[in-house]
Structure formats: structure tokens, C-alpha cells
Amino acid sequence: MRKWRLVALVGICAAMLAVAILGHWLRPMDLDTERAAARAAGLPLTPADMPLPHYPPGQDAAPIWRTLRPLFARRGVSPSWQALERAEVHGVPPVSSNPDLFRVIAEERDTLRLIHAAASKTGRSVHRGWGPYVLYADLAYMREASSLLRLENLAMARRGHPEEAIRNQRPSLRLANQASEDAGCIGYMAGIAIENESLSGMGDVLREYPTPQVIAAVRASVPRDRPRYDLGRALKAEALNGMATIALADSPYSAGKLLISSGYENPVLVRRRSGLMRALFQDPNEAVFLHFLTRQVKAAALPPNQRAAAMRAISRDARFTLSKGPSFLFASQELPPLGAEYDREMRILALRAALLAGADVLAYRAAHGRFPNTLGEASPNAIDPFIQKPLGYRRTAKGFVVYSAGPDGHFNGLPGAGARGQAYFSYPNGSLDP
């Protein structure tokens, strides 16, 4: 009997030692310490720490977007949109003879009226929760709306009103602000994508109608100041999304729901249960997630010449944690893409700078009868935000290209696969993509 008691005691001790070793292996970071550091960096740990935007009825665009949802949902991809894509309506030379552009604008007149009404409001109240199953339908429809506004302005220009078309692009910029107010990286990315559509639309009109009046309208319409995008705020909001996802994945029941359900209600963020499950899985996941997210928020506040390198280093470290144990899977896969969002914001700033510099070059040609030999002759203050040096400039057979060096600092403004996704303004051909 004593022998079995001794065996049982040894077994219990061995199990406790195994748990201690496993816990040390899976839990190198203390949750309370990481929570304190996260709170000191401004990360919200409960939904009350980050209230979503709310506007009074007369200033709120949310009711209008609720009206627009079924209009966009029913339309899908219409034959007219497909015809426009096949006809390359944004190409050069202009395809004014194509009636599909004007047909689309006529078909979408009521939708466009509502889009302009939504853009005229101060902002958009946001009513949603946090976690992996939150719906961002309005953001997708805002992006569609910006594309429709771009077509409307192109049609306006081709009907003989290019200056008004440039000025009419401002609603897209207001939509970008409404989208970026939605806390989290999805709102941040949607706002940038909408402004990208707006700037590209201005570029379409400027290439087709490079008159002094249109050039002046572009210079007046393109915002020269830093936009209201805040990567730090977007990352902070991801703390709530990430912790809500971790809460779902912490128990076998919730993990099953996470994998097989697409309609699970948003979880309520509460302090985790105690016991072995928390010791082995819950605390490590949340601690690791908050540790790297806190580092990313701090890196987002660095000067541009330091921020990119810091974000990439954090992403590399976060990926490495996957080798530490299975409980780090979420943090390892979720965090690196968030750090990469920095390049999106820099690209939109570079696109703004390139469009303004392109307008300056066209103004120089209007004044001197030729294109400048160097960009400094026409636009001495055109700075590439990626490298904090002058934008690149290259003459082509019929025009020119103004371009940013891009996130890797090596783009040279030449056509080909390397041009895809870069920030540039090309005249008279609008695309350098293969």
C-alpha cells in the first residue's frame, strides 16, 4: 500500500513539475504587467475606454448609409459596370464616345444624391461591438460610393465641366474622414482607400483636361495638410478586437464556435476565469498580444524616418513567437499585418505629393511651352514622405512621370511589375502597370 502511495506521490510531483515547465514554456510574459504597460500606452482594455463616434441627428450620416445599404446590395456588378471595365474608361485617349459611362450615372442618380447627402454630414455614428464577427458593411459601401463619385466626376468633365468635376471630388474626401473615424485598422484602411480613389479621380480629369483652370482647381482641392488618419488610434482599437477574439478561442466550446460559426454574437470582454486553462493558454495569448501591440502603438508615434524600421522589427519579433508554443498562434498571425499598415498611410501622402507635383509640372508647361528638365524647376517643395527627399521625376517620350521611391526606397518610376501599388502621377498615360 505504501508502495502505491509513493508511486502516486511521485506521479503527482511529476505532473506538477510538468505543468510548471509547460507553464514557463508557454507563459514568458506576465499578463498583469502587460496590461499595465498597455494601459500606460493608452490601449483600451474595455469598450468603455474607447467610445465609438456619435453625432446628433442633424449631423449624422449613419441613417443615410442605412438607406444606401440595400441599394448597393441589390445592384452588385451590373452589366454597365462590366462594360466600363472592359472599355477602360480611365484610359488615354478619352473614350467619350462610350455611352456606358453616362448610362451608369443616369441609372445611379438617386444613389448619387444620397451619397452627396451623406458626405454633407459632419460624421457618422458607429454602432457595433468588438471581435471577429463585427460587420463593417458601411465601409465597403463607402468604397463603392467613392468609385461611383469618381465616375460621376469623369462624366461631368467629359460633358464640358472639368473644373466643377475637380471640385465635386471633395465629397470623397469627406467620406474618407467618415470611414477613418470607425475605430480599428479596417476603418483606417477604408479611409485611405477612399482618398486614393478620390485622388486618382482628380488625376483622371487633370490628364484629360490639363488647362490652367483645372490645374488651379487641383491645387486648391488636394489637401496639403496631413489627413485625419491616426495609425496609433487604429492600433489601440485593435486591442479590443484582439482580446475579444482571444476570449472566444480560450475555451473548447468557444473555439468550436470560432471555427464553424459566422454568426456568433460579439463576446463581452470580462476578466478571464482562473485555473489551469487560464494558466496555460489564456494569459499567454493576451499577454503576448498586448506586449507587441503596445510596442506597435509606441512605434506609430515615432518620426517617419524611424517608424517603418521599428514596425518591421516588431512584426519580425511577433512572427518568431509562433515557435514558442501553440497558444501564441493568434498573436503571431494577427500582429504582423497591423504593423504593415504604416506603409498605406505613407503611400497616400506620397500620392498627394505626386499629384500636386504633376499639376505643378503641367502649370510650368502652360507658362513656358515645355516640360521642365528637373522637378525642382516646377515644384521645388515636392518631398517624398517615404525618404524625406525630393520626389523622383522622369521625362517620357510624350510627357513625364512624378513618383515616390516607395516603402523599399527603390522604385524608379519605370513601367513594369514594380510599378504596381506605387505612388506616382504619369502624363499623358495614367498607368505604369504592365
Side-chain angles (χ1 to χ4, degrees):
M1 191 67 177
R2 290 181 180 178
K3 179 180 178 181
W4 287 111
R5 288 180 180 175
L6 182 60
V7 170
L9 181 61
V10 170
I12 292 172
C13 291
M16 292 176 64
L17 180 62
V19 168
I21 293 173
L22 187 62
H24 177 75
W25 177 53
L26 290 175
R27 189 182 178 188
M29 299 176 188
D30 178 70
L31 177 60
D32 292 332
T33 300
E34 298 303 332
R35 280 185 169 229
R39 192 172 289 281
L43 269 71
L45 300 183
T46 68
D49 296 334
M50 179 166 275
L52 295 170
H54 180 75
Y55 292 91
Q59 304 172 19
D60 189 7
I64 302 175
W65 285 109
R66 285 195 291 271
T67 303
L68 278 164
R69 286 176 195 172
L71 297 180
F72 279 113
R74 284 198 303 267
R75 186 186 65 201
V77 180
S78 69
S80 294
W81 281 95
Q82 294 173 342
L84 283 172
E85 184 177 358
R86 288 195 302 270
E88 299 180 351
V89 296
H90 303 306
V92 174
V95 286
S96 303
S97 59
N98 185 349
D100 287 303
L101 173 61
F102 305 106
R103 185 184 309 129
V104 166
I105 300 306
E107 291 171 355
E108 303 292 348
R109 186 178 295 108
D110 291 339
T111 303
L112 282 163
R113 178 181 54 80
L114 289 171
I115 292 171
H116 282 279
S120 69
K121 301 298 181 181
T122 303
R124 178 180 64 97
S125 296
V126 178
H127 304 283
R128 62 167 177 78
W130 303 94
Y133 300 122
V134 173
L135 298 178
Y136 298 89
D138 284 354
L139 298 181
Y141 299 146
M142 284 181 180
R143 292 188 62 171
E144 288 192 50
S146 67
S147 297
L148 194 55
L149 284 172
R150 179 177 176 178
L151 290 179
E152 179 189 41
N153 296 327
L154 190 61
M156 186 181 295
R158 290 177 179 172
R159 286 192 171 105
H161 306 285
E163 299 167 58
E164 291 83 348
I166 295 294
R167 288 191 286 269
N168 195 54
Q169 198 69 57
R170 285 186 176 274
S172 282
L173 299 176
R174 291 193 289 270
L175 294 185
N177 283 328
Q178 288 184 14
S180 64
E181 284 186 320
D182 198 323
C185 284
I186 293 182
Y188 172 85
M189 290 187 293
I192 290 173
I194 291 169
E195 184 175 355
N196 181 81
E197 193 77 24
S198 177
L199 296 178
S200 298
M202 290 187 190
D204 292 338
V205 177
L206 179 61
R207 269 185 292 270
E208 292 192 15
Y209 306 92
T211 65
Q213 294 79 12
V214 171
I215 293 169
V218 169
R219 285 168 156 174
S221 297
V222 176
R224 294 176 180 266
D225 296 329
R226 185 176 178 83
R228 295 193 311 184
Y229 306 127
D230 187 344
L231 178 59
R233 176 178 175 272
L235 291 171
K236 289 175 182 178
E238 292 303 322
L240 296 177
N241 282 323
M243 288 192 297
T245 303
I246 291 170
L248 278 176
D250 275 344
S251 70
Y253 172 75
S254 295
K257 297 288 286 188
L258 184 68
L259 291 173
I260 66 175
S261 172
S262 61
Y264 191 71
E265 293 297 325
N266 298 325
V268 177
L269 300 183
V270 296
R271 182 65 182 175
R272 308 287 192 263
R273 68 179 70 83
S274 60
L276 184 62
M277 179 65 76
R278 173 186 165 191
L280 293 183
F281 294 97
Q282 294 169 340
D283 278 8
N285 249 329
E286 186 175 334
V288 170
F289 179 76
L290 290 177
H291 172 80
F292 286 109
L293 193 59
T294 300
R295 286 179 59 186
Q296 286 183 335
V297 168
K298 292 179 178 178
L302 293 174
N305 60 341
Q306 302 175 29
R307 182 161 45 169
M311 285 292 188
R312 293 187 181 104
I314 295 167
S315 294
R316 286 195 300 269
D317 292 346
R319 288 189 182 95
F320 177 73
T321 63
L322 182 57
S323 65
K324 295 286 188 177
S327 72
F328 294 157
L329 179 64
F330 172 75
S332 302
Q333 293 185 341
E334 181 75 10
L335 286 162
L338 298 183
E341 302 309 332
Y342 163 75
D343 286 343
R344 294 177 185 265
E345 183 176 354
M346 297 302 290
R347 183 187 176 279
I348 202 67
L349 295 177
L351 187 59
R352 284 180 172 215
L355 179 58
L356 285 170
D360 291 342
V361 171
L362 290 171
Y364 184 96
R365 183 186 68 166
H368 298 85
R370 64 175 180 84
F371 291 116
N373 295 319
T374 65
L375 184 60
E377 295 178 49
S379 189
N381 298 318
I383 300 299
D384 185 344
F386 279 108
I387 59 176
Q388 295 300 302
K389 294 179 180 179
L391 288 166
Y393 174 72
R394 183 175 62 81
R395 287 293 312 278
T396 62
K398 297 182 179 179
F400 65 91
V401 180
V402 179
Y403 59 92
S404 164
D408 61 2
H410 299 309
F411 180 56
N412 55 10
L414 293 174
R420 193 176 303 277
Q422 299 289 351
Y424 59 84
F425 177 82
S426 176
Y427 176 86
N429 187 0
S431 176
L432 295 176
D433 292 351

